[in-house]
Amino acid sequence: MKKTAFLIPVFLFANQNILSDLKLKLLNLDEQRSIYSAKETQKSWINPIILQYSISQNNSLHTTKQNIQTFSVSINQPIFKTGAIYYSIKYAKNLKNYNLKQIELQKRALIKQAYELVYDYKINKLNEEIALLNIQNAKIDVKKKKEDFLNGTGDSTFLNQAIINLNNIKLGYEDLKFNEKQLKFSFKNLSDLDIEKVKLPYFKIISKNDFINNNLQLISSKINDKIKYDLYKMQLGNQLLTISFNASYNYQITDYTNETSKYHDDSNNYYNVGLSVTLPIDFTSTDKVKQTKLSYIKSRYETLDTKRNLLNTYAMIISQIKTLQKKKEIYKENEKAYANLIESTKESIKAGNATVLDLEILENSYKVMQINQKIIDLQIQKLLLNLYYQVTSKF
């Protein structure tokens, strides 16, 4: 059951149509180009068959004119390169797989960016609600301070501070409204959808093993290790024995023309078939092999480093989530405290010891505690998005 809960949001995330058609078309073109490039690389060890045709005319026999047509087919194809051919085919397949993984990571990064904007937008809207509630409370505070000042029981300093506090909250609200517009514009760069109507997936905490074993970045890094190993073996094979198949066929037609006669000769046809063995003596070959070997070893270390960074990322996100969960519990406690204060204030109003304004302040503060809990839920989901966006559903 746990595995199913993990698979469903990943599947929805990987197939979400949140990206604009233009972004998807660009990614699809990159994908197709990678496929064709891989096919070209996979066939690169096969030498071309050379077809050649020529026609010429001369009068080297003085009284006789010659028209010569020549057609030839030839090939010089290595059939054994001490493993280099085998590893070149493996290299092409691994390179194709790696490039497709990189494009998938690009796509997921864009999807993640789009979702993060949606999370930020929804959090921003909730902060706007909090700002409006705080504005209401600040207005009430100004009203009470003003009444106290007019009644001679308050200080003008307190009234001025209340007015400044109200204006500061209003300024903060305007900043939030500006940020809302900015988030909308940023989202439009990535998606054709309405940011207000985007349905967010629900993520659950996944295990460290699932995060690591199915992480596209780490999988991609391991494929890169194979690519570097293939290049090393190819370089090694290229410095050793090569056996090639050689074949050619030549067909020649010569037409002779003079003042008294004309005749045709097509007897100059021949073929050539054979094998050749080559062993290059390259004084830099050892250095070339060592370079590719070191590149392979470095790739292995980079994969280990990637795994360590991912483990640290996982630990950091889990730690942040735990902190947010603790903050949410504090907001819940505050919510209960305000609920109790609201009930006691209602009794005080009946007894004439409190006003409706006092009750309104408490009710607004109670709502703020509830909204803060919603914000934390969105912040936790945004953190989990950082775990899910690189995880493949194919495991």
Side-chain angles (χ1 to χ4, degrees):
M1 187 68 185
K2 182 180 177 182
K3 190 173 181 180
T4 303
F6 172 58
L7 274 171
I8 291 174
V10 175
F11 176 79
L12 289 173
F13 179 75
N15 294 276
Q16 186 63 246
N17 62 345
I18 194 169
L19 294 181
S20 67
D21 289 340
L22 182 57
K23 292 290 184 186
L24 290 174
K25 285 178 181 177
L26 291 171
L27 289 167
N28 288 336
L29 287 172
D30 285 339
E31 184 176 342
Q32 290 177 34
R33 186 175 59 183
S34 294
I35 291 172
Y36 285 118
S37 176
K39 287 181 178 179
E40 178 190 358
T41 304
Q42 192 169 354
K43 299 172 185 175
S44 62
W45 67 276
I46 303 174
N47 286 345
I49 298 173
I50 306 300
L51 303 177
Q52 185 175 359
Y53 172 79
S54 66
I55 183 170
S56 62
Q57 185 181 98
N58 69 74
N59 63 346
S60 60
L61 300 178
H62 302 293
T63 58
T64 302
K65 183 170 65 176
Q66 300 178 80
N67 288 319
I68 304 171
Q69 298 182 69
T70 304
F71 176 75
S72 65
V73 181
S74 63
I75 184 171
N76 183 354
Q77 176 59 50
I79 56 176
F80 176 77
K81 293 185 72 174
T82 323
I85 294 175
Y86 169 74
Y87 284 104
S88 69
I89 296 172
K90 280 190 64 181
Y91 165 77
K93 291 180 179 179
N94 287 326
L95 183 63
K96 173 187 174 182
N97 197 8
Y98 176 80
N99 287 339
L100 292 178
K101 288 285 188 296
Q102 291 300 302
I103 293 169
E104 177 64 21
L105 282 170
Q106 290 177 33
K107 179 180 178 182
R108 285 169 175 251
L110 288 173
I111 292 173
K112 170 179 170 284
Q113 186 181 350
Y115 274 131
E116 284 179 333
L117 289 169
V118 178
Y119 281 118
D120 290 340
Y121 179 81
K122 292 184 181 297
I123 290 171
N124 194 84
K125 293 289 286 185
L126 290 173
N127 279 321
E128 287 176 21
E129 291 182 28
I130 290 175
L132 288 174
L133 290 169
N134 287 334
I135 287 172
Q136 291 179 28
N137 282 354
K139 285 180 177 179
I140 293 170
D141 188 44
V142 169
K143 184 177 181 180
K144 291 175 70 174
K145 293 289 193 310
K146 188 174 183 180
E147 289 177 353
D148 291 342
F149 176 72
L150 293 175
N151 292 330
T153 57
D155 193 324
S156 63
T157 302
F158 294 125
L159 175 59
N160 288 333
Q161 287 177 345
I163 293 171
I164 291 170
N165 181 54
L166 171 60
N167 288 333
N168 285 335
I169 296 173
K170 286 181 177 179
L171 288 171
Y173 177 73
E174 292 304 319
D175 288 337
L176 288 170
K177 294 299 290 185
F178 177 78
N179 193 43
E180 176 188 335
K181 293 177 182 178
Q182 292 295 102
L183 289 168
K184 279 186 175 181
F185 285 125
S186 297
F187 184 74
K188 283 183 178 180
N189 289 332
L190 297 172
S191 179
D192 297 326
L193 302 179
D194 182 352
I195 196 169
E196 295 272 5
K197 298 177 181 178
V198 175
K199 186 177 180 181
L200 290 169
Y202 179 74
F203 300 113
K204 294 184 179 181
I205 294 177
I206 60 177
S207 70
K208 181 165 60 178
N209 286 336
D210 282 336
F211 174 69
I212 293 297
N213 295 336
N214 305 287
N215 190 283
L216 282 172
Q217 185 180 350
L218 188 57
I219 291 171
S220 181
S221 185
K222 289 178 179 178
I223 295 171
N224 191 48
D225 292 345
K226 295 178 181 179
I227 290 172
K228 298 298 184 182
Y229 180 75
D230 294 337
L231 288 171
Y232 159 60
K233 297 297 284 186
M234 286 167 59
Q235 186 64 50
L236 185 62
N238 286 332
Q239 309 306 317
L240 301 176
L241 186 72
T242 298
I243 299 175
S244 301
F245 171 72
N246 306 288
S248 65
Y249 177 75
N250 292 267
Y251 180 73
Q252 182 174 300
I253 302 172
T254 305
D255 292 316
Y256 296 92
T257 306
N258 56 35
E259 295 178 354
T260 59
S261 64
K262 180 178 182 181
Y263 60 98
H264 176 81
D265 181 11
D266 59 359
S267 62
N268 295 322
N269 305 325
Y270 64 91
Y271 69 88
N272 179 42
V273 178
L275 294 174
S276 63
V277 179
T278 58
L279 182 63
I281 300 176
D282 185 351
F283 296 104
T284 63
S285 61
T286 302
D287 296 326
K288 291 176 181 176
V289 171
K290 286 182 178 179
Q291 285 183 56
T292 53
K293 186 176 181 179
L294 289 172
S295 181
Y296 164 62
I297 294 171
K298 181 184 177 184
S299 177
R300 293 290 300 273
Y301 283 127
E302 287 173 343
T303 297
L304 292 174
D305 192 49
T306 297
K307 184 176 181 179
R308 183 177 66 175
N309 290 338
L310 289 171
L311 287 169
N312 288 334
T313 298
Y314 181 87
M316 179 185 68
I317 289 175
I318 296 301
S319 176
Q320 290 174 327
I321 288 173
K322 288 179 179 179
T323 300
L324 287 172
Q325 288 172 336
K326 289 178 182 178
K327 290 176 69 175
K328 185 177 179 181
E329 291 302 316
I330 295 172
Y331 282 128
K332 283 183 178 180
E333 291 175 8
N334 287 345
E335 181 187 351
K336 291 178 182 178
Y338 276 116
N340 293 331
L341 285 171
I342 287 169
E343 292 303 316
S344 61
T345 301
K346 287 179 179 178
E347 296 298 322
S348 296
I349 290 172
K350 292 178 182 179
N353 297 324
T355 66
V356 175
L357 294 178
D358 295 322
L359 178 61
E360 189 176 343
I361 289 175
L362 290 172
E363 287 176 339
N364 288 338
S365 299
Y366 174 80
K367 291 175 183 176
V368 167
M369 294 303 109
Q370 290 180 319
I371 295 171
N372 277 323
Q373 292 175 59
K374 292 179 181 179
I375 289 174
I376 286 180
D377 288 337
L378 288 171
Q379 289 173 335
I380 290 174
Q381 285 295 298
K382 185 181 176 183
L383 285 171
L384 288 173
L385 174 66
N386 285 277
L387 296 182
Y388 272 86
Y389 92 97
Q390 287 187 5
V391 176
T392 175
S393 58
K394 298 177 182 178
F395 67 96

PDB file of all heavy atoms in Angstrom, residues 26 28 64 67 83 85 98 149 190 199-200 218 230 236 249 278 287 302 369:
ATOM      1  N   LEU A  26       9.351  22.261 -27.643  1.00  0.00           N
ATOM      2  CA  LEU A  26      10.803  22.434 -27.595  1.00  0.00           C
ATOM      3  C   LEU A  26      11.486  21.222 -26.984  1.00  0.00           C
ATOM      4  O   LEU A  26      12.512  20.744 -27.478  1.00  0.00           O
ATOM      5  CB  LEU A  26      11.149  23.693 -26.795  1.00  0.00           C
ATOM      6  CG  LEU A  26      10.788  25.040 -27.436  1.00  0.00           C
ATOM      7  CD1 LEU A  26      10.975  26.176 -26.439  1.00  0.00           C
ATOM      8  CD2 LEU A  26      11.644  25.286 -28.679  1.00  0.00           C
ATOM      9  N   ASN A  28      10.250  18.160 -26.875  1.00  0.00           N
ATOM     10  CA  ASN A  28      10.072  17.024 -27.783  1.00  0.00           C
ATOM     11  C   ASN A  28      11.060  17.073 -28.942  1.00  0.00           C
ATOM     12  O   ASN A  28      11.567  16.034 -29.386  1.00  0.00           O
ATOM     13  CB  ASN A  28       8.635  16.992 -28.322  1.00  0.00           C
ATOM     14  CG  ASN A  28       7.622  16.579 -27.271  1.00  0.00           C
ATOM     15  OD1 ASN A  28       7.973  15.904 -26.310  1.00  0.00           O
ATOM     16  ND2 ASN A  28       6.379  16.983 -27.432  1.00  0.00           N
ATOM     17  N   THR A  64      42.198   7.876 -83.767  1.00  0.00           N
ATOM     18  CA  THR A  64      41.062   7.201 -83.116  1.00  0.00           C
ATOM     19  C   THR A  64      40.668   7.961 -81.854  1.00  0.00           C
ATOM     20  O   THR A  64      41.514   8.306 -81.023  1.00  0.00           O
ATOM     21  CB  THR A  64      41.417   5.753 -82.744  1.00  0.00           C
ATOM     22  OG1 THR A  64      41.814   5.054 -83.913  1.00  0.00           O
ATOM     23  CG2 THR A  64      40.214   5.062 -82.118  1.00  0.00           C
ATOM     24  N   ASN A  67      36.065   7.052 -76.062  1.00  0.00           N
ATOM     25  CA  ASN A  67      35.093   7.438 -75.027  1.00  0.00           C
ATOM     26  C   ASN A  67      35.150   6.379 -73.936  1.00  0.00           C
ATOM     27  O   ASN A  67      34.805   5.215 -74.175  1.00  0.00           O
ATOM     28  CB  ASN A  67      33.686   7.522 -75.598  1.00  0.00           C
ATOM     29  CG  ASN A  67      33.522   8.724 -76.499  1.00  0.00           C
ATOM     30  OD1 ASN A  67      34.010   9.798 -76.197  1.00  0.00           O
ATOM     31  ND2 ASN A  67      32.864   8.532 -77.639  1.00  0.00           N
ATOM     32  N   GLY A  83      37.777  -4.957 -29.638  1.00  0.00           N
ATOM     33  CA  GLY A  83      36.717  -4.530 -28.730  1.00  0.00           C
ATOM     34  C   GLY A  83      36.175  -3.143 -28.974  1.00  0.00           C
ATOM     35  O   GLY A  83      35.142  -2.765 -28.432  1.00  0.00           O
ATOM     36  N   ILE A  85      34.824  -1.780 -31.605  1.00  0.00           N
ATOM     37  CA  ILE A  85      33.524  -1.756 -32.294  1.00  0.00           C
ATOM     38  C   ILE A  85      32.402  -2.082 -31.318  1.00  0.00           C
ATOM     39  O   ILE A  85      31.366  -1.401 -31.280  1.00  0.00           O
ATOM     40  CB  ILE A  85      33.534  -2.744 -33.479  1.00  0.00           C
ATOM     41  CG1 ILE A  85      34.520  -2.280 -34.547  1.00  0.00           C
ATOM     42  CG2 ILE A  85      32.141  -2.890 -34.075  1.00  0.00           C
ATOM     43  CD1 ILE A  85      34.686  -3.255 -35.690  1.00  0.00           C
ATOM     44  N   TYR A  98      21.304   8.317 -21.771  1.00  0.00           N
ATOM     45  CA  TYR A  98      21.722   9.456 -20.937  1.00  0.00           C
ATOM     46  C   TYR A  98      21.074  10.759 -21.410  1.00  0.00           C
ATOM     47  O   TYR A  98      20.553  11.537 -20.597  1.00  0.00           O
ATOM     48  CB  TYR A  98      23.242   9.578 -20.982  1.00  0.00           C
ATOM     49  CG  TYR A  98      23.788  10.775 -20.235  1.00  0.00           C
ATOM     50  CD1 TYR A  98      23.934  10.743 -18.856  1.00  0.00           C
ATOM     51  CD2 TYR A  98      24.159  11.934 -20.920  1.00  0.00           C
ATOM     52  CE1 TYR A  98      24.435  11.832 -18.171  1.00  0.00           C
ATOM     53  CE2 TYR A  98      24.657  13.027 -20.239  1.00  0.00           C
ATOM     54  CZ  TYR A  98      24.792  12.976 -18.869  1.00  0.00           C
ATOM     55  OH  TYR A  98      25.283  14.072 -18.190  1.00  0.00           O
ATOM     56  N   PHE A 149      -7.734  58.693  23.556  1.00  0.00           N
ATOM     57  CA  PHE A 149      -7.113  60.022  23.482  1.00  0.00           C
ATOM     58  C   PHE A 149      -8.158  61.118  23.630  1.00  0.00           C
ATOM     59  O   PHE A 149      -7.947  62.099  24.359  1.00  0.00           O
ATOM     60  CB  PHE A 149      -6.363  60.164  22.152  1.00  0.00           C
ATOM     61  CG  PHE A 149      -5.770  61.524  21.939  1.00  0.00           C
ATOM     62  CD1 PHE A 149      -4.656  61.946  22.659  1.00  0.00           C
ATOM     63  CD2 PHE A 149      -6.338  62.400  21.004  1.00  0.00           C
ATOM     64  CE1 PHE A 149      -4.121  63.210  22.450  1.00  0.00           C
ATOM     65  CE2 PHE A 149      -5.800  63.662  20.808  1.00  0.00           C
ATOM     66  CZ  PHE A 149      -4.679  64.075  21.527  1.00  0.00           C
ATOM     67  N   LEU A 190       5.612  29.766 -18.358  1.00  0.00           N
ATOM     68  CA  LEU A 190       5.782  28.313 -18.364  1.00  0.00           C
ATOM     69  C   LEU A 190       4.531  27.547 -18.756  1.00  0.00           C
ATOM     70  O   LEU A 190       4.622  26.400 -19.223  1.00  0.00           O
ATOM     71  CB  LEU A 190       6.223  27.836 -16.971  1.00  0.00           C
ATOM     72  CG  LEU A 190       7.573  28.341 -16.461  1.00  0.00           C
ATOM     73  CD1 LEU A 190       7.767  27.949 -15.004  1.00  0.00           C
ATOM     74  CD2 LEU A 190       8.699  27.799 -17.314  1.00  0.00           C
ATOM     75  N   LYS A 199      -4.681  22.369 -10.195  1.00  0.00           N
ATOM     76  CA  LYS A 199      -4.887  21.422  -9.106  1.00  0.00           C
ATOM     77  C   LYS A 199      -3.549  20.834  -8.708  1.00  0.00           C
ATOM     78  O   LYS A 199      -2.875  20.188  -9.506  1.00  0.00           O
ATOM     79  CB  LYS A 199      -5.847  20.307  -9.538  1.00  0.00           C
ATOM     80  CG  LYS A 199      -6.214  19.356  -8.409  1.00  0.00           C
ATOM     81  CD  LYS A 199      -7.210  18.324  -8.880  1.00  0.00           C
ATOM     82  CE  LYS A 199      -7.573  17.379  -7.731  1.00  0.00           C
ATOM     83  NZ  LYS A 199      -8.529  16.334  -8.172  1.00  0.00           N
ATOM     84  N   LEU A 200      -3.174  21.068  -7.473  1.00  0.00           N
ATOM     85  CA  LEU A 200      -1.878  20.593  -7.003  1.00  0.00           C
ATOM     86  C   LEU A 200      -1.943  19.127  -6.598  1.00  0.00           C
ATOM     87  O   LEU A 200      -2.911  18.691  -5.971  1.00  0.00           O
ATOM     88  CB  LEU A 200      -1.409  21.425  -5.812  1.00  0.00           C
ATOM     89  CG  LEU A 200      -1.011  22.865  -6.118  1.00  0.00           C
ATOM     90  CD1 LEU A 200      -0.836  23.653  -4.833  1.00  0.00           C
ATOM     91  CD2 LEU A 200       0.276  22.898  -6.923  1.00  0.00           C
ATOM     92  N   LEU A 218      20.649  10.555 -10.126  1.00  0.00           N
ATOM     93  CA  LEU A 218      21.642   9.537  -9.798  1.00  0.00           C
ATOM     94  C   LEU A 218      21.688   8.451 -10.873  1.00  0.00           C
ATOM     95  O   LEU A 218      22.773   7.978 -11.246  1.00  0.00           O
ATOM     96  CB  LEU A 218      21.320   8.914  -8.431  1.00  0.00           C
ATOM     97  CG  LEU A 218      22.371   7.969  -7.850  1.00  0.00           C
ATOM     98  CD1 LEU A 218      23.716   8.668  -7.721  1.00  0.00           C
ATOM     99  CD2 LEU A 218      21.924   7.434  -6.503  1.00  0.00           C
ATOM    100  N   ASP A 230      32.922   3.107 -21.644  1.00  0.00           N
ATOM    101  CA  ASP A 230      32.901   2.736 -23.065  1.00  0.00           C
ATOM    102  C   ASP A 230      33.941   3.521 -23.855  1.00  0.00           C
ATOM    103  O   ASP A 230      34.632   2.968 -24.719  1.00  0.00           O
ATOM    104  CB  ASP A 230      31.502   2.986 -23.657  1.00  0.00           C
ATOM    105  CG  ASP A 230      30.443   2.070 -23.061  1.00  0.00           C
ATOM    106  OD1 ASP A 230      30.803   1.001 -22.563  1.00  0.00           O
ATOM    107  OD2 ASP A 230      29.257   2.441 -23.087  1.00  0.00           O
ATOM    108  N   LEU A 236      41.204   2.335 -25.945  1.00  0.00           N
ATOM    109  CA  LEU A 236      42.155   1.234 -25.790  1.00  0.00           C
ATOM    110  C   LEU A 236      42.150   0.346 -27.034  1.00  0.00           C
ATOM    111  O   LEU A 236      43.212  -0.042 -27.547  1.00  0.00           O
ATOM    112  CB  LEU A 236      41.785   0.412 -24.546  1.00  0.00           C
ATOM    113  CG  LEU A 236      42.738  -0.724 -24.154  1.00  0.00           C
ATOM    114  CD1 LEU A 236      44.123  -0.182 -23.803  1.00  0.00           C
ATOM    115  CD2 LEU A 236      42.159  -1.518 -22.990  1.00  0.00           C
ATOM    116  N   TYR A 249      35.061  -3.400 -56.972  1.00  0.00           N
ATOM    117  CA  TYR A 249      34.728  -3.943 -58.296  1.00  0.00           C
ATOM    118  C   TYR A 249      34.751  -2.788 -59.281  1.00  0.00           C
ATOM    119  O   TYR A 249      34.156  -1.724 -59.038  1.00  0.00           O
ATOM    120  CB  TYR A 249      33.350  -4.597 -58.281  1.00  0.00           C
ATOM    121  CG  TYR A 249      32.929  -5.098 -59.644  1.00  0.00           C
ATOM    122  CD1 TYR A 249      33.488  -6.253 -60.191  1.00  0.00           C
ATOM    123  CD2 TYR A 249      31.995  -4.388 -60.405  1.00  0.00           C
ATOM    124  CE1 TYR A 249      33.116  -6.701 -61.445  1.00  0.00           C
ATOM    125  CE2 TYR A 249      31.620  -4.829 -61.665  1.00  0.00           C
ATOM    126  CZ  TYR A 249      32.185  -5.993 -62.177  1.00  0.00           C
ATOM    127  OH  TYR A 249      31.832  -6.441 -63.430  1.00  0.00           O
ATOM    128  N   THR A 278      46.135  -4.052 -39.447  1.00  0.00           N
ATOM    129  CA  THR A 278      46.917  -2.853 -39.111  1.00  0.00           C
ATOM    130  C   THR A 278      47.149  -2.792 -37.606  1.00  0.00           C
ATOM    131  O   THR A 278      46.288  -3.177 -36.806  1.00  0.00           O
ATOM    132  CB  THR A 278      46.198  -1.561 -39.554  1.00  0.00           C
ATOM    133  OG1 THR A 278      44.913  -1.506 -38.931  1.00  0.00           O
ATOM    134  CG2 THR A 278      46.035  -1.518 -41.053  1.00  0.00           C
ATOM    135  N   ASP A 287      49.132   7.924 -23.427  1.00  0.00           N
ATOM    136  CA  ASP A 287      48.575   9.119 -22.776  1.00  0.00           C
ATOM    137  C   ASP A 287      47.079   9.247 -23.045  1.00  0.00           C
ATOM    138  O   ASP A 287      46.310   9.629 -22.153  1.00  0.00           O
ATOM    139  CB  ASP A 287      49.300  10.371 -23.267  1.00  0.00           C
ATOM    140  CG  ASP A 287      50.771  10.375 -22.875  1.00  0.00           C
ATOM    141  OD1 ASP A 287      51.075   9.857 -21.788  1.00  0.00           O
ATOM    142  OD2 ASP A 287      51.587  10.872 -23.652  1.00  0.00           O
ATOM    143  N   GLU A 302      32.311  11.299  -9.131  1.00  0.00           N
ATOM    144  CA  GLU A 302      31.231  12.284  -9.251  1.00  0.00           C
ATOM    145  C   GLU A 302      29.878  11.651  -8.926  1.00  0.00           C
ATOM    146  O   GLU A 302      29.014  12.306  -8.323  1.00  0.00           O
ATOM    147  CB  GLU A 302      31.217  12.869 -10.662  1.00  0.00           C
ATOM    148  CG  GLU A 302      32.364  13.829 -10.927  1.00  0.00           C
ATOM    149  CD  GLU A 302      32.445  14.290 -12.374  1.00  0.00           C
ATOM    150  OE1 GLU A 302      31.822  13.640 -13.242  1.00  0.00           O
ATOM    151  OE2 GLU A 302      33.123  15.296 -12.637  1.00  0.00           O
ATOM    152  N   MET A 369      -4.496  32.213  12.939  1.00  0.00           N
ATOM    153  CA  MET A 369      -3.861  30.953  13.342  1.00  0.00           C
ATOM    154  C   MET A 369      -4.280  29.808  12.406  1.00  0.00           C
ATOM    155  O   MET A 369      -3.447  28.948  12.063  1.00  0.00           O
ATOM    156  CB  MET A 369      -4.246  30.604  14.782  1.00  0.00           C
ATOM    157  CG  MET A 369      -3.715  31.571  15.838  1.00  0.00           C
ATOM    158  SD  MET A 369      -1.909  31.749  15.820  1.00  0.00           S
ATOM    159  CE  MET A 369      -1.744  33.404  15.155  1.00  0.00           C
TER     160      MET A 369
END
